[in-house]
Amino acid sequence: QVQLVESGGGLVQAGGSLRLSCAASGRSFSIVAMGWFRRAPGKEREFVAAITWSGGNIYYADSVKGRFTISRDNAKNTVYLQMNSLKPDDTAVYYCATRKQYYSDSYQSPRYDYWGQGTQVTVSS
């Protein structure tokens, strides 16, 4: 199986920045895409950003466009999420996910094969 290890979460004031990292280990020699999802208190999981592994195509949720940047290091099987201009509404548990198969679902869909443990991001006002 594949293990996803996340880091970089924490507490930050509004307007601040954080960078999340997620490294895949195990049989992670084949990756179609990696993405970030989040779940805020009392809300359902929502898509944040995704990047395809071969072409580097990037997708963002409208709520984070212009503030968040997703990037990857193919050799390290690692995806990053640079979060700038953070708002209290960004407070959530952030989950890294990897897609190892080609599906008809869009990359914004939660159909991913493996998920990280989640890392808490708290933005205070």
Side-chain angles (χ1 to χ4, degrees):
Q1 61 177 225
V2 174
Q3 182 181 18
L4 302 178
V5 180
E6 300 168 326
S7 62
L11 175 65
V12 66
Q13 293 183 345
S17 299
L18 287 172
R19 190 177 80 150
L20 306 183
S21 300
C22 175
S25 62
R27 57 179 185 89
S28 58
F29 34 76
S30 180
I31 297 174
V32 172
M34 295 187 73
W36 293 93
F37 293 76
R38 67 186 183 187
R39 192 197 308 272
K43 297 183 178 180
E44 296 298 317
R45 176 181 54 187
E46 67 174 348
F47 168 79
V48 177
I51 185 168
T52 65
W53 227 241
S54 61
N57 300 313
I58 293 174
Y59 308 85
Y60 292 110
D62 289 340
S63 60
V64 306
K65 286 182 179 178
R67 300 188 298 120
F68 291 10
T69 302
I70 190 171
S71 61
R72 79 209 196 285
D73 187 329
N74 296 46
K76 296 181 179 180
N77 292 330
T78 299
V79 65
Y80 307 93
L81 185 67
Q82 178 67 45
M83 304 184 294
N84 298 326
S85 301
L86 283 163
K87 306 174 180 179
D89 285 347
D90 295 318
T91 295
V93 177
Y94 284 70
Y95 298 91
C96 171
T98 183
R99 184 178 288 188
K100 300 185 70 67
Q101 303 287 337
Y102 286 96
Y103 300 113
S104 61
D105 306 66
S106 72
Y107 293 105
Q108 297 90 329
S109 168
R111 179 161 287 185
Y112 285 72
D113 298 296
Y114 294 95
W115 294 80
Q117 77 284 359
T119 183
Q120 177 70 49
V121 172
T122 302
V123 184
S124 64
S125 60

